[in-house]
Amino acid sequence: MTIMFNKCLMAGVIPLAIALSSTAFAQESTGKGEVEVLNWWTSGGEAKALGALKDQLADDGIGWQNMPVAGGAGTNAMAVLRSRITSNNPPTAAQVLGYDAQDWADRDALSSLDDVASAGNWDEVFPQPIQHFAKSDGHWIAAPFEIHSTNWVWANKSMMDELGIQQPGSWEEFMASMKKAQDAGHTGLAYGGQPWQDATVFENVVLATGGADFYRRAMIDLDPEALDSDTMIRSFDRFRELLQYKDDNSPGRDWNLATAMVINGDALYQIMGDWAKGEFLNAGLEPEQDFMCFRTPGTQDAVTFNSDLMIMFKNDNDQQQAMQRTMAEIIGSPEFQMTFSQLKGSVPARTDLLADKLDACAQRGYEQAKAAAESDTLMGSMAHGYAAPASVKNAVFDIVSSFVNSDMPSDVAAEQLAMVVQGARS
Ligand code: GAL
């Protein structure tokens, strides 16, 4: 399936389902001109957060043409974006992730946001790991919405209470707690079997198994010796161990439906980025009262992050340019950064805000992200385009998903991983 999809992309063909979903945009205009914004924020929590941008633009008299392309982590959205650019019909702006933003900048497709950034003091308020991706050749080319992190577990609190499960402190306790849930007739791990979700869970296991230095060597430096190492084999062993707690209906399941399993009491945990919290909040649930959040056991000392970036495409029209600047200004402003994260589940990308307006999970998350940025353990997520360019990321997806969907032995998986990464780089 993944391979077929990649072939379609290589041939420049957009699969029908994607093309259709892209036409399902909603249009709203206030008469002063409108922006067309390509994004993949289609779940309940995501749409609510995006609504905050639409509302703020409306306050400035700017209309909104939404262009949602469903599909977690933007895999489908990026295909649609490429076809829009190829046919010389770029949207006003698009949500992208780290390496993809750099890619569009390299192609000279983006408007500079330097004026807005210098007026808003962005060099001072956004941390270096974010600037690294939101700037190109020293120029700002993207407005960062937030910091998400992928090493979180979301837990059903009443199930924990009912089964006498304490927050697990180690990998062994983590496994034992899921076994307990399974023995009691529940699903231990809510799981969505899609390549990007397989990779999101896998990067958690790699970090939990090898620690921050190993994660960096394997996932960011792409060191072949780390990719095909005993620690990587052990990571695959643990991944296999974890996968026994998912249910049989997981193949193809969307991430928000997996989150709903935890919300509805069908499953104990989900390992997922903090956009999952947006679904709990959207359902009216309170962190640490109605549900629990904790760092994946073994990953407490590091944060694997991604940050949604809004890129603006070059445009000859003065009005469009002015609206792009306004949109960038809004996204970077202290008020919007806070409001957006309160809805989205993330933490602000700006480091100069007071945490007290954030919920209990995000307060911890915000401090952890800032501390990790200081200590060099704020590391890019492989699954979410912050560890390696798309070619490498997709190669990793292929091996990790093959592992999930077969009985591939761990040593073979590690060997193949090193091989495909090498191939994708050359
Ligand atoms: C991530 C993105 C999040 C969220 C998630 C699920 O890549 O950064 O904002 O949308 O995918 O689609």
Side-chain angles (χ1 to χ4, degrees):
M1 171 63 194
T2 321
I3 290 166
M4 264 178 58
F5 184 64
N6 288 342
K7 275 191 187 147
C8 288
L9 295 187
M10 280 182 327
V13 177
I14 302 303
L16 185 62
I18 301 173
L20 289 180
S21 75
S22 72
T23 60
F25 56 74
Q27 202 162 328
E28 280 176 47
S29 168
T30 59
K32 188 188 167 185
E34 61 185 22
V35 287
E36 187 196 11
V37 180
L38 190 144
N39 64 87
W40 64 92
W41 284 330
T42 55
S43 79
E46 291 174 331
K48 210 178 224 180
L50 183 62
L53 178 60
K54 182 185 117 180
D55 290 348
Q56 230 181 305
L57 285 163
D59 289 347
D60 284 327
I62 296 175
W64 177 262
Q65 185 170 312
N66 200 23
M67 176 143 186
V69 184
T75 334
N76 300 342
M78 290 306 98
V80 172
L81 182 59
R82 274 196 295 280
S83 93
R84 289 285 303 265
I85 307 289
T86 311
S87 53
N88 206 13
N89 178 27
T92 314
Q95 170 204 1
V96 295
L97 296 167
Y99 273 95
D100 291 333
Q102 292 294 307
D103 193 34
W104 289 115
D106 291 347
R107 289 162 199 254
D108 202 23
L110 304 183
S111 307
S112 164
L113 302 178
D114 280 345
D115 290 353
V116 177
S118 95
N121 212 15
W122 288 10
D123 279 342
E124 304 303 317
V125 297
F126 289 109
Q128 276 310 319
I130 301 285
Q131 292 195 27
H132 185 70
F133 290 97
K135 284 170 100 168
S136 168
D137 285 336
H139 299 288
W140 283 91
I141 46 90
F145 276 95
E146 51 2 25
I147 295 179
H148 272 305
S149 59
T150 60
N151 55 325
W152 283 109
V153 178
W154 309 96
N156 183 296
K157 183 167 187 309
S158 27
M159 199 184 292
M160 286 177 82
D161 293 346
E162 192 185 300
L163 300 176
I165 294 171
Q166 305 292 319
Q167 181 180 317
S170 65
W171 187 259
E172 290 68 28
E173 285 174 19
F174 190 37
M175 295 302 113
S177 60
M178 279 185 279
K179 171 132 191 4
K180 215 168 188 177
Q182 208 176 50
D183 289 347
H186 305 290
T187 296
L189 186 68
Y191 196 89
Q194 296 173 344
W196 73 269
Q197 294 190 70
D198 294 333
T200 301
V201 175
F202 179 66
E203 72 186 26
N204 272 266
V205 181
V206 170
L207 181 59
T209 307
D213 286 348
F214 179 75
Y215 179 92
R216 185 181 296 285
R217 275 182 56 215
M219 295 293 168
I220 296 174
D221 299 342
L222 308 175
D223 175 350
E225 281 177 21
L227 288 165
D228 186 10
S229 63
D230 288 347
T231 308
M232 188 57 80
I233 294 173
R234 172 118 185 79
S235 302
F236 276 110
D237 283 346
R238 279 182 158 189
F239 190 30
R240 185 69 79 205
E241 196 187 348
L242 183 64
L243 291 170
Q244 66 186 306
Y245 298 110
K246 68 184 176 62
D247 68 330
D248 291 341
N249 295 326
S250 59
R253 179 185 284 137
D254 285 330
W255 67 271
N256 54 323
L257 299 183
T259 310
M261 290 171 69
V262 179
I263 293 178
N264 298 334
D266 296 329
L268 176 62
Y269 300 140
Q270 182 185 21
I271 299 174
M272 189 42 63
D274 42 11
W275 48 90
K277 193 184 62 192
E279 299 303 296
F280 287 90
L281 301 177
N282 192 40
L285 303 177
E286 276 287 315
E288 296 197 337
Q289 286 177 30
D290 306 318
F291 67 95
M292 301 302 287
C293 56
F294 52 88
R295 292 289 177 187
T296 306
T299 73
Q300 294 90 331
D301 297 336
V303 173
T304 39
F305 84 98
N306 61 297
S307 167
D308 292 296
L309 303 175
M310 191 70 109
I311 52 174
M312 318 279 171
F313 290 92
K314 279 192 171 156
N315 200 301
D316 292 339
N317 181 304
D318 289 348
Q319 191 190 31
Q320 280 282 317
Q321 289 173 13
M323 291 190 297
Q324 289 181 329
R325 281 195 298 274
T326 305
M327 184 154 43
E329 228 168 78
I330 293 173
I331 295 170
S333 72
E335 301 74 25
F336 181 81
Q337 291 265 315
M338 191 50 82
T339 309
F340 184 82
S341 274
Q342 283 167 340
L343 297 167
K344 186 69 166 55
S346 48
V347 301
R350 294 177 68 112
T351 52
D352 61 338
L353 305 179
L354 289 176
D356 58 359
K357 292 210 190 86
L358 294 166
D359 64 53
C361 305
Q363 286 197 11
R364 275 191 279 136
Y366 193 41
E367 294 315 320
Q368 286 162 342
K370 285 197 282 185
E374 295 284 306
S375 65
D376 212 22
T377 54
L378 183 62
M379 298 181 298
S381 156
M382 167 60 78
H384 296 272
Y386 272 82
S391 53
V392 172
K393 179 182 82 172
N394 290 330
V396 172
F397 284 9
D398 280 348
I399 298 305
V400 172
S401 291
S402 300
F403 180 83
V404 173
N405 298 310
S406 71
D407 54 6
M408 186 188 284
S410 299
D411 57 342
V412 174
E415 194 185 331
Q416 298 249 325
L417 190 65
M419 213 170 72
V420 298
V421 166
Q422 194 60 30
R425 295 181 80 184
S426 49

